[in-house]
Amino acid sequence: MTATPDDPTGPFSRIKVRTGALVFCGDEVALIRRDRADSVHYTPPGGNVEHGEDLREALRRELAEELALDIDLAEGGDLMWVVDQRVTRPGPTPPPRKLHLIYRLHITPELRGTLAERELDELPDGGHEVGVIEWVDYRTTAGLPLFPPIGPALAALGDPRAAVGAAALDAVTDENYTWV
């Protein structure tokens, strides 16, 4: 099914924006590990931008909810990467196109000691999925089931503060990704 101007209900006819952050403490980065019955995957902390919400405020809200992190206590906040997601997924509604905005923050070990160790993600049925906050050496992320698939780019950084080239990473499509 393809969306048309008369019928904008096809796949990718809606656009959602997600803000996420790579929160570094030295060489380790905070990722949320989600254990499912038949898979495990990781995501950077973050979430969807709400209607009318400023991008920085969305990042602030999501990191407070997921990590108990006040971003004013962190250093940085630069936009590292943008990932364009156009992946068909299971479910009754057409999938949106999603733009993932990945920011970078640095924190001290003292601040890290105050952060959450678990995150509760609300499910459509009102229940919650538990995510574990895992601190991972960024150089090992290429082999992780990380979504969006930024692991190879992250692992290739010379150090956590290294400059990045092009902000736009490869798009995630049905040709190069299978929904887990």
Side-chain angles (χ1 to χ4, degrees):
M1 176 188 221
T2 303
T4 67
D6 297 329
D7 178 24
T9 59
F12 319 122
S13 59
R14 296 175 298 121
I15 297 176
K16 285 189 172 185
V17 177
R18 181 184 190 279
T19 61
L22 295 171
V23 179
F24 286 93
C25 183
D27 287 339
E28 293 185 319
V29 63
L31 298 174
I32 299 174
R33 188 188 80 227
R34 300 197 188 284
D35 299 315
R36 300 205 169 130
D38 54 353
S39 68
V40 171
H41 73 272
Y42 293 82
T43 59
N48 291 330
V49 176
E50 295 176 356
H51 181 72
E53 189 175 29
D54 176 80
L55 296 174
R56 180 86 176 167
E57 289 308 308
L59 184 65
R60 175 185 309 283
R61 176 182 51 76
E62 286 291 343
L63 295 183
E65 288 173 5
E66 296 187 356
L67 295 180
L69 174 62
D70 176 348
I71 64 173
D72 291 333
L73 300 177
E75 179 188 338
D78 55 315
L79 178 64
M80 283 183 78
W81 293 309
V82 177
V83 179
D84 184 3
Q85 172 192 329
R86 297 181 310 272
V87 178
T88 306
R89 60 182 163 96
T93 59
R97 179 178 192 172
K98 188 174 280 191
L99 299 177
H100 297 264
L101 308 179
I102 310 292
Y103 294 85
R104 172 172 38 191
L105 296 167
H106 298 275
I107 63 169
T108 64
E110 293 77 24
L111 182 55
R112 175 179 165 175
T114 68
L115 299 183
E117 296 177 359
R118 295 171 18 140
E119 183 265 343
L120 297 178
D121 198 18
E122 189 172 346
L123 299 172
D125 67 2
H128 289 89
E129 178 181 56
V130 176
V132 176
I133 311 304
E134 200 168 291
W135 291 87
V136 177
D137 186 310
Y138 79 94
R139 296 166 290 206
T140 66
T141 57
L144 290 179
L146 178 57
F147 193 87
I150 59 173
L154 179 56
L157 292 175
D159 66 75
R161 296 177 186 273
V164 297
L169 295 182
D170 290 340
V172 181
T173 67
D174 288 334
E175 286 75 41
N176 63 16
Y177 185 80
T178 302
W179 195 263
V180 187

